[in-house]
Amino acid sequence: MIPLFHLRNTTNRHYFLYNKRFFINARIKWVRDPYLDKAVEREKNLKPLISLKNLILSHPSQTLPLSTASPLKPNLHLPTTVEKFIQNYPLIFKTFLPPNKSNSLPHIKLTHKALAIHHNENLILNFSHYRKDVAERLAKLLMLSRVGKLPLFIIEMFKYDLGLPHDYILTLLLEFPDYFQICDMGFRDSNGDLVFGLELVSWRDYLAVSEMEKTVIGEGKSGRGIKYLMNLPRGFDLEKRVSTWVNEWQNLPYISPYENAFHLTSNGDHAEKWTVGLIHEVLSLLVSKKTERDNLFCLGEFLGFQQTRVKKALVHFPGIFYVSNKIRTQTVVLREAYRKNQLLEMHPLMAMRNRYISLMNLVLRKGRPFRAGMTAHRKKSAPSRIRRKFDGNTVTRSDEDD
């Protein structure tokens, strides 16, 4: 068994001697990217919707009393009351009164269309190659820490973005006992309770290859001269001195995020390049190639970074990362993973989530599905078009494109 502290050490690398170079004192402006904003905004309320969906289906009857769901609004992170939330999505949730019961209270269940998508989603989650893939991505996240383990509360933060099953502790962990084990983190939370975490059973060298390194290997190149793609939005111009600095920064040796580079001067350029590589790798592990900025802050804090170190890495390199202010939070997006507002590589789970989004964007008008926000000149032909899309119980490919 290879010990967990098998992080590749960079102490004797030649670039250790040159870690005194610092970022120039220049202000880099934030420029809005409407395409990436749209990619973030289209998933508004999707995460709480899936949480509520999973809660309903976790009950044996696959229904839930409305009175039971209402107090759980904070846990589900719903933006409004449960009653109003389900009313906003009539093609996904349905309220009803249980039959043959006097004085019965309203219950919630999923519509047939939502259930059909859920069943397709479950098929993906249960594929052996998918479960192996998600286990390896979770293992890589653990390997990015210096000790091969992370608190469960951090795993929960990334659970949705990693595409983990909602019951991963009872399913995925038991399926891969040679990968993971629950551990005591050795400290207590603010309430004085022990903090438990997820620990990697053993280091796996074949997983300790970053996405940046895979790209270079795929192109038949070698060496440490790895450069990041810089996709600056239209209308964005760097000052000449900043542009010169970025070009010089690109030529610095690449340090894998799976290497132990904590010996580098924390505010030096080499350390910043390693920090950028760490954030880049975390985003690459996620199914949508984006996550809330606070998740990165929390992970960085556990790894021993000051919050400013992560923030500077995001601000200094707008060609690598985009920070969107949509949907009541700040979301960090990996630019190279998108062409305009579309993912270049559609993960199977994201294809299912797009189907939920398509249903979310439909409302009922006179008992017929109708796409919200449709312009007046398209309204007349809407019902027949949508009926074709919802012929039967499955959602067609056209829903993913809307």
Side-chain angles (χ1 to χ4, degrees):
M1 180 180 293
I2 302 174
L4 288 177
F5 296 94
H6 186 67
L7 289 171
R8 289 177 284 178
N9 199 315
T10 63
T11 303
N12 295 322
R13 303 278 188 185
H14 65 276
Y15 51 77
F16 176 71
L17 301 174
Y18 304 102
N19 63 4
K20 294 294 185 183
R21 185 175 176 278
F22 300 101
F23 184 79
I24 63 172
N25 184 20
R27 180 179 178 84
I28 297 180
K29 64 179 180 178
W30 176 86
V31 175
R32 180 174 177 266
D33 189 320
Y35 293 112
L36 294 182
D37 276 345
K38 184 178 180 181
V40 171
E41 195 168 25
R42 73 189 302 268
E43 294 185 32
K44 180 181 179 180
N45 295 336
L46 177 61
K47 185 176 178 179
L49 182 140
I50 290 178
S51 296
L52 179 57
K53 182 257 308 182
N54 289 335
L55 177 63
I56 294 170
L57 295 179
S58 67
H59 286 245
S61 65
Q62 296 195 339
T63 68
L64 185 67
L66 189 58
S67 57
T68 300
S70 295
L72 299 176
K73 173 180 174 287
N75 305 76
L76 298 170
H77 303 289
L78 298 180
T80 183
T81 64
V82 174
E83 296 93 328
K84 188 172 181 180
F85 188 78
I86 62 177
Q87 288 172 7
N88 289 339
Y89 304 111
L91 273 84
I92 296 180
F93 302 111
K94 183 177 181 180
T95 56
F96 70 101
L97 294 176
N100 305 323
K101 289 186 180 180
S102 60
N103 300 322
S104 59
L105 298 174
H107 280 54
I108 317 168
K109 65 178 180 179
L110 296 185
T111 65
H112 292 302
K113 294 179 178 65
L115 276 172
I117 299 175
H118 170 77
H119 292 322
N120 289 335
E121 181 184 13
N122 263 356
L123 286 176
I124 292 173
L125 294 175
N126 290 321
F127 283 150
S128 59
H129 66 270
Y130 176 86
R131 300 180 77 80
K132 182 69 178 296
D133 171 72
V134 74
E136 290 185 344
R137 285 187 287 110
L138 178 56
K140 286 168 75 76
L141 183 65
L142 297 178
M143 290 168 67
L144 291 173
S145 73
R146 282 183 287 179
V147 291
K149 56 185 176 182
L150 289 171
L152 284 175
F153 69 82
I154 292 183
I155 302 296
E156 284 294 315
M157 288 180 174
F158 287 96
K159 171 182 167 181
Y160 174 82
D161 297 322
L162 277 169
L164 293 176
H166 70 94
D167 57 350
Y168 73 97
I169 292 179
L170 299 176
T171 56
L172 192 71
L173 302 193
L174 294 178
E175 187 177 344
F176 295 93
D178 53 332
Y179 277 70
F180 313 109
Q181 61 186 16
I182 300 293
C183 65
D184 179 353
M185 293 300 298
F187 60 91
R188 296 177 181 269
D189 61 18
S190 57
N191 297 321
D193 298 325
L194 285 172
V195 173
F196 291 94
L198 193 61
E199 184 176 21
L200 195 68
V201 172
S202 63
W203 182 270
R204 298 169 184 267
D205 279 332
Y206 71 93
L207 291 180
V209 182
S210 70
E211 286 300 309
M212 292 294 294
E213 290 172 312
K214 287 180 184 178
T215 301
V216 171
I217 293 171
E219 294 174 352
K221 299 177 182 177
S222 61
R224 303 184 65 84
I226 297 176
K227 296 183 180 181
Y228 292 91
L229 288 175
M230 293 283 185
N231 299 323
L232 290 169
R234 182 178 298 179
F236 192 105
D237 293 314
L238 289 174
E239 294 180 23
K240 183 176 180 180
R241 57 180 180 148
V242 177
S243 180
T244 300
W245 178 89
V246 169
N247 290 334
E248 292 175 355
W249 180 89
Q250 285 273 41
N251 290 324
L252 293 176
Y254 174 80
I255 310 172
S256 170
Y258 297 100
E259 294 184 10
N260 184 1
F262 282 88
H263 60 278
L264 296 172
T265 304
S266 61
N267 59 346
D269 287 350
H270 287 84
E272 184 164 54
K273 189 160 188 177
W274 182 69
T275 304
V276 167
L278 180 69
I279 298 172
H280 184 283
E281 183 68 3
V282 171
L283 294 175
S284 296
L285 295 176
L286 309 180
V287 295
S288 65
K289 313 303 180 188
K290 63 182 185 299
T291 192
E292 290 186 21
R293 191 181 68 164
D294 286 347
N295 295 345
L296 296 176
F297 284 166
C298 190
L299 176 63
E301 184 179 357
F302 177 77
L303 296 179
F305 296 168
Q306 292 182 348
Q307 190 176 107
T308 53
R309 183 169 173 178
V310 175
K311 188 179 294 185
K312 284 180 180 178
L314 298 177
V315 170
H316 288 173
F317 301 98
I320 303 174
F321 311 116
Y322 176 66
V323 181
S324 173
N325 296 317
K326 295 295 182 179
I327 62 173
R328 306 178 300 275
T329 187
Q330 290 189 305
T331 304
V332 181
V333 185
L334 184 61
R335 279 192 182 275
E336 68 185 53
Y338 284 81
R339 178 179 291 122
K340 293 188 175 181
N341 64 332
Q342 298 293 324
L343 277 167
L344 290 174
E345 294 184 11
M346 180 64 71
H347 189 279
L349 189 59
M350 286 305 298
M352 289 296 104
R353 289 179 180 177
N354 281 345
R355 291 187 171 190
Y356 285 116
I357 291 170
S358 187
L359 277 186
M360 291 169 69
N361 290 335
L362 295 173
V363 297
L364 289 175
R365 294 267 180 94
K366 297 180 180 180
R368 292 178 174 179
F370 184 89
R371 186 167 300 282
M374 188 177 296
T375 55
H377 72 275
R378 296 175 61 191
K379 288 183 180 180
K380 186 175 181 180
S381 62
S384 60
R385 181 175 65 89
I386 296 173
R387 279 199 299 274
R388 288 198 301 273
K389 290 169 66 176
F390 283 94
D391 183 21
N393 293 325
T394 59
V395 183
T396 64
R397 175 69 186 176
S398 60
D399 292 295
E400 296 175 23
D401 298 332
D402 285 333

